């Protein structure tokens, strides 16, 4: 079984581990590189011709329009599973929309268990394998992570009960939920250790980058108020932001750069 995937870079390590565990040959490509290097896209299209299935994370831009036109002839003999934050992406699949939508649920909740279950689900639903596939496992959209703890914390007080009293100066960290759920946290772990070795307290918060009412994910403003403010006053003295999106981003206004100004106002409150 060979699958060719084109996704965000952050998904690739977890996909590869999940595929290896199931004995699936996975050729994984980072979509941004293909956009920037058209010659790379040619080799990916060639690989797609010899795949048993093609898995794509769609992004709305001109590159993808041409890429899909080139893939169209393959859909008659190779299953194409297309997911993306916009449900219209599902219609670009050659499989049932229900299959694409379910795969997106696995992807958006994330983590190696969900990715493994997604591949098992594809084996079962697309290829007819007699295999069990668990439904997507719901994982928190935000919380407090610390490498020294065996679990995440759902509120500030829980964390402080474990962490102990904060020192004179405290650093707040905003971590990408994708990094947390996929356990790709070497940079974050190093920063936390360095800050604490310097005599600082740290409150490391992971969060989904966009407010999405359908998913139930909170806005960064809500997350920051929940974890960095106590009794109406900020508990942090500075903020290290490792999440790539604007603080005030939301699914409804994903490409609205005016949210940058709103993010500054939120930072002033914190």
């Amino acid at each position: 079984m060979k699958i060719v995937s084109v996704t965000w870079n952050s998904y690739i390590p977890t996909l590869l581990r999940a595929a290896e565990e199931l004995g699936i040959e996975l050729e994984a490509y980072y979509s941004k590189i293909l956009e920037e290097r058209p010659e790379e896209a040619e080799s990916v299209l060639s690989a797609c011709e010899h795949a048993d299935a093609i898995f794509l994370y769609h992004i709305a831009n001109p590159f993808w329009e041409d890429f899909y036109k080139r893939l169209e002839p393959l859909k008659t003999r190779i299953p194409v599973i297309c997911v993306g934050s916009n449900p219209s992406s599902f219609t670009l699949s050659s499989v049932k929309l229900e299959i694409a939508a379910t795969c997106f649920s696995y992807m958006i909740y994330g983590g190696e268990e969900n990715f493994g279950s997604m591949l098992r689900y594809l084996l079962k639903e697309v290829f007819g394998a007699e295999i069990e596939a668990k439904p997507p496992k719901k994982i928190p959209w935000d919380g407090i992570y610390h490498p020294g703890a065996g679990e995440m914390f759902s509120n500030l007080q829980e964390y402080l009960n474990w962490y102990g009293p904060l020192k004179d100066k405290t650093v707040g960290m905003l971590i990408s939920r994708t990094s947390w759920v996929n356990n790709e946290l070497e940079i974050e772990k190093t920063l936390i250790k360095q800050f604490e070795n310097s005599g600082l307290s740290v409150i490391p918060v992971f969060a989904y980058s966009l407010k999405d009412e359908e998913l139930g994910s909170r806005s960064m403003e809500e997350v920051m108020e929940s974890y960095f403010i106590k009794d109406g006053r900020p508990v942090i003295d500075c903020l290290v932001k490792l999440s790539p999106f604007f603080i005030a981003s939301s699914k409804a206004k994903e490409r609205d750069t005016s949210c940058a100004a709103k993010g500054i106002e939120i930072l002033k409150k914190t």
Side-chain angles (χ1 to χ4, degrees), residues 30-44:
Y30 176 25
S31 54
K32 192 68 175 177
I33 290 179
L34 304 188
E35 294 170 31
E36 295 172 351
R37 303 177 193 168
E39 67 280 4
E40 296 276 350
E42 293 298 324
S43 63
V44 176

Side-chain angles (χ1 to χ4, degrees), residues 6 35 38 74 80-81 97 100 120 148 156 161 164 166-167 171 177-178 180 183 190 207 210 224 228 238 241 249 264:
V6 182
E35 294 170 31
L74 300 180
V80 174
I81 304 95
L97 294 185
R120 294 171 72 90
L156 178 60
N161 290 343
L166 297 176
K167 298 179 180 178
V171 177
R177 179 184 179 275
T178 300
W180 170 75
N183 197 28
T190 300
L210 303 174
M224 291 170 68
F228 296 145
C238 72
K241 179 177 174 294
S249 296
I264 294 172

Side-chain angles (χ1 to χ4, degrees), residues 143-147 152 159 175 180 185 188-189 192 204-206:
I144 301 179
Y145 157 82
H146 192 286
M152 53 81 65
Y159 178 69
I175 298 170
W180 170 75
L185 293 163
E188 290 80 359
K189 289 177 181 178
I192 292 167
V205 174
F206 68 86

Side-chain angles (χ1 to χ4, degrees), residues 132-260:
E132 181 185 355
K134 294 180 181 178
K137 180 181 178 180
K138 294 184 177 181
I139 298 173
W141 297 111
D142 58 69
I144 301 179
Y145 157 82
H146 192 286
E151 59 184 354
M152 53 81 65
F153 302 92
S154 58
N155 62 65
L156 178 60
Q157 192 55 55
E158 281 184 5
Y159 178 69
L160 294 178
N161 290 343
W162 172 82
Y163 194 71
L166 297 176
K167 298 179 180 178
D168 289 341
K169 297 296 180 182
T170 298
V171 177
M173 288 180 63
L174 274 178
I175 298 170
S176 164
R177 179 184 179 275
T178 300
S179 298
W180 170 75
V181 78
N182 292 322
N183 197 28
E184 300 286 337
L185 293 163
E186 292 310 309
I187 293 173
E188 290 80 359
K189 289 177 181 178
T190 300
L191 283 173
I192 292 167
K193 182 178 180 181
Q194 291 297 325
F195 285 138
E196 292 180 336
N197 286 346
S198 299
L200 304 171
S201 294
V202 186
I203 303 175
V205 174
F206 68 86
Y208 187 60
S209 299
L210 303 174
K211 179 179 176 65
D212 190 325
E213 293 182 1
E214 292 181 13
L215 291 175
S217 59
R218 298 193 287 180
S219 68
M220 282 288 189
E221 180 177 9
E222 292 170 308
V223 169
M224 291 170 68
E225 288 179 348
S226 177
Y227 297 111
F228 296 145
I229 295 178
K230 184 179 182 183
D231 300 326
R233 302 188 66 179
V235 296
I236 62 173
D237 298 283
C238 72
L239 177 69
V240 176
K241 179 177 174 294
L242 300 176
S243 173
F245 285 74
F246 289 124
I247 286 175
S249 296
S250 70
K251 183 179 178 181
K253 299 180 179 179
E254 194 170 344
R255 299 186 182 279
D256 184 358
T257 55
S258 66
C259 62

Side-chain angles (χ1 to χ4, degrees), residues 9-157:
N9 193 44
S10 55
Y11 294 136
I12 291 176
T14 310
L15 269 174
L16 287 170
R17 289 195 298 268
E20 183 179 9
E21 189 166 324
L22 288 168
I24 294 173
E25 180 184 352
L26 179 70
E27 282 192 32
Y29 297 91
Y30 176 25
S31 54
K32 192 68 175 177
I33 290 179
L34 304 188
E35 294 170 31
E36 295 172 351
R37 303 177 193 168
E39 67 280 4
E40 296 276 350
E42 293 298 324
S43 63
V44 176
L45 286 164
S46 177
C48 287
E49 292 179 2
H50 300 93
D52 294 298
I54 301 167
F55 186 87
L56 308 166
Y57 194 100
H58 175 260
I59 305 162
N61 64 29
F63 163 79
W64 282 96
E65 292 179 16
D66 181 63
F67 191 80
Y68 277 108
K69 286 179 182 177
R70 301 281 301 278
L71 275 181
E72 196 66 32
L74 300 180
K75 289 184 177 181
T76 59
R77 61 182 182 85
I78 301 173
V80 174
I81 304 95
C82 184
V83 302
S85 58
N86 190 326
S88 65
S89 303
F90 306 159
T91 64
L92 298 170
S93 304
S94 65
V95 298
K96 295 178 182 178
L97 294 185
E98 178 187 351
I99 294 176
T102 302
C103 285
F104 179 69
S105 294
Y106 283 115
M107 292 286 286
I108 203 68
Y109 282 118
E112 195 163 336
E113 182 178 349
N114 272 326
F115 280 27
S117 295
M118 179 185 72
L119 293 175
R120 294 171 72 90
Y121 173 78
L122 288 176
L123 290 174
K124 179 181 179 181
E125 296 296 328
V126 178
F127 296 99
E130 294 185 2
I131 189 171
E132 181 185 355
K134 294 180 181 178
K137 180 181 178 180
K138 294 184 177 181
I139 298 173
W141 297 111
D142 58 69
I144 301 179
Y145 157 82
H146 192 286
E151 59 184 354
M152 53 81 65
F153 302 92
S154 58
N155 62 65
L156 178 60
Q157 192 55 55

